């Protein structure tokens, strides 16, 4: 048999063969680390996180300076802040989930592929070789990481300023039960996880839109507009048949996590809906990106 067609020799006895998937994973890890490093070195990323962290600070300072607000006025939980500083976090999440968080996630997800294409670096990433499917996965992982960081910025800043400016004690849940501060903080973290999950569908939509254009600003704007349009449609009672299919329908459904015992139905419905959007728009993004001309 010619030398160039000879099969690879087996490894010595006692030494296990390296699994075939080891090398692809070895290429994926540095690519993911590079993506996260690039994202969190950008001034834009830290500016958006700073704006999100400023929301609970502004709410807490405003309530402190005005000696609270009357019940029934303003966002949910706002009138309870003076009695317990942990309500700063919940009020901030109620305000940020419909607007500020989708805005920032739309900016990041819309920039994933279109930003690389606009800068002319996409062809070099694919020549690494990274592989188009692997690059898409890494880009979405970067968007998910930013989403987690964005929600964490609101939760951490809200907790810190609430502890600083207001008393903290037993927290009344929506069911009327009282829980201690540590249990309440656990519920707040659970609410934060709910919000992160809620925004993953929007991240997948932004990733797909980003594969359609080489203009990142256009992809960002289109993603944010879709987030707003989905909430507008969800507010129209004439379209109640459509509401369960809108990716924003369960965004504010985390109130069920603040009951005793915890009501998991909204969490499960939200998770199922977001997984559906991930599957559909992930497949669309893959189909578009694998046929995209990155050399022109």
């Amino acid at each position: 048999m010619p030398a160039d067609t000879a099969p690879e020799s087996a490894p010595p006895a006692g030494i296990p063969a390296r699994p075939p998937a080891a090398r692809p994973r070895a290429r994926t890890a540095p690519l993911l680390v590079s993506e996260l490093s690039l994202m969190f070195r950008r001034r834009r990323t830290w500016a958006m996180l700073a704006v999100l962290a400023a929301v609970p600070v502004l709410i807490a300072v405003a309530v402190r300076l005005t000696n609270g607000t009357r019940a029934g006025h303003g966002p949910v939980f706002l009138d309870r802040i003076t009695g317990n500083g942990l309500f700063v976090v919940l009020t901030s999440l109620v305000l940020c989930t419909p607007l500020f968080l989708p805005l920032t996630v739309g900016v990041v997800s819309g920039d994933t592929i279109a930003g690389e294409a606009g800068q002319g670096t996409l062809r070099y990433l694919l020549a690494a070789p990274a592989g188009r499917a692997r690059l898409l996965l890494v880009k979405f992982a970067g968007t998910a990481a930013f989403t987690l960081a964005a929600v964490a910025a609101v939760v951490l800043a809200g907790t810190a300023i609430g502890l600083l400016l207001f008393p903290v004690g037993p927290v009344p849940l929506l069911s009327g039960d009282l829980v201690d501060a540590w249990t309440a903080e656990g519920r707040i973290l659970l609410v934060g996880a709910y919000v992160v999950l809620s925004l993953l569908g929007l991240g997948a939509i932004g990733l797909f839109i980003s594969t359609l254009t080489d203009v990142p600003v256009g992809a960002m704007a289109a993603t944010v507009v879709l987030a707003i349009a989905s909430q507008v449609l969800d507010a129209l009672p004439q379209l109640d048949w459509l509401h369960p299919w809108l990716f924003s329908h369960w965004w504010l459904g985390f109130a069920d996590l603040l009951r005793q015992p915890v009501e998991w139905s909204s969490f499960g419905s939200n998770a199922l809906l977001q997984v559906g959007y991930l599957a559909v728009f992930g497949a669309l993004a893959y189909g578009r990106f694998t046929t995209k001309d990155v050399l022109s």
Side-chain angles (χ1 to χ4, degrees):
M1 179 181 295
D4 56 344
T5 60
E8 294 183 359
S9 58
I15 300 179
R18 184 170 58 179
R23 285 184 292 177
R25 282 198 297 267
R27 289 197 297 267
T28 301
L31 186 63
L32 178 58
V33 171
S34 175
E35 174 68 17
L36 295 178
S37 176
L38 178 63
M39 175 183 295
F40 288 101
R41 285 204 312 266
R42 289 175 175 168
R43 294 180 180 178
R44 181 187 69 190
T45 300
W46 287 103
M48 291 189 293
L49 293 178
V51 169
L52 290 171
V55 172
V57 175
L58 292 175
I59 292 173
V61 171
V63 172
R64 182 69 177 178
L65 293 178
T66 57
N67 295 319
T69 185
R70 289 178 296 171
H73 292 260
V76 181
F77 306 120
L78 183 63
D79 56 321
R80 302 187 182 188
I81 290 178
T82 54
N84 198 309
L86 293 180
F87 282 107
V88 174
V89 184
L90 297 173
T91 305
S92 302
L93 288 174
V94 170
L95 285 176
C96 290
T97 299
L99 178 60
F100 297 111
L101 285 169
L103 176 63
T104 56
V105 172
V107 168
V108 171
S109 62
D111 187 55
T112 48
I113 301 298
E116 300 286 359
Q119 295 175 8
T121 55
L122 184 57
R123 67 188 69 181
Y124 301 110
L125 281 176
L126 294 177
R132 300 197 180 202
R134 188 175 297 113
L135 182 61
L136 272 179
L137 184 61
V138 166
K139 289 293 185 180
F140 180 76
T143 300
F146 173 82
T147 304
L148 178 61
V151 175
V154 177
V155 171
L156 293 176
T159 301
I161 196 66
L163 293 174
L164 182 64
L165 296 184
F166 302 101
V168 174
V171 178
L173 299 178
L174 296 180
S175 57
D177 300 270
L178 284 176
V179 296
D180 60 79
W182 285 109
T183 302
E185 189 63 33
R187 295 293 185 94
I188 290 173
L189 293 178
L190 190 59
V191 169
Y194 181 99
V195 175
V196 172
L197 175 66
S198 299
L199 295 170
L200 292 183
L202 178 62
I205 293 172
L207 179 67
F208 167 62
I209 295 176
S210 189
T211 64
L212 301 177
T213 178
D214 294 344
V215 183
V217 174
M220 297 174 192
T223 306
V224 174
V225 167
L226 281 178
I228 297 173
S230 177
Q231 295 178 80
V232 170
L233 293 176
D234 198 37
L236 299 177
Q238 295 83 354
L239 299 176
D240 56 350
W241 58 270
L242 180 63
H243 294 170
W245 302 96
L246 297 172
F247 60 87
S248 62
H249 181 65
W250 295 101
W251 277 3
L252 294 177
F254 52 74
D256 287 342
L257 302 178
L258 302 175
R259 304 183 188 278
Q260 187 68 22
V262 175
E263 175 57 54
W264 293 100
S265 59
S266 60
F267 196 106
S269 299
N270 184 38
L272 184 62
L273 181 65
Q274 301 307 323
V275 168
Y277 272 89
L278 281 173
V280 171
F281 283 92
L284 290 174
Y286 175 77
R288 166 59 182 167
F289 192 48
T290 52
T291 59
K292 184 180 179 69
D293 181 12
V294 299
L295 299 178
S296 59

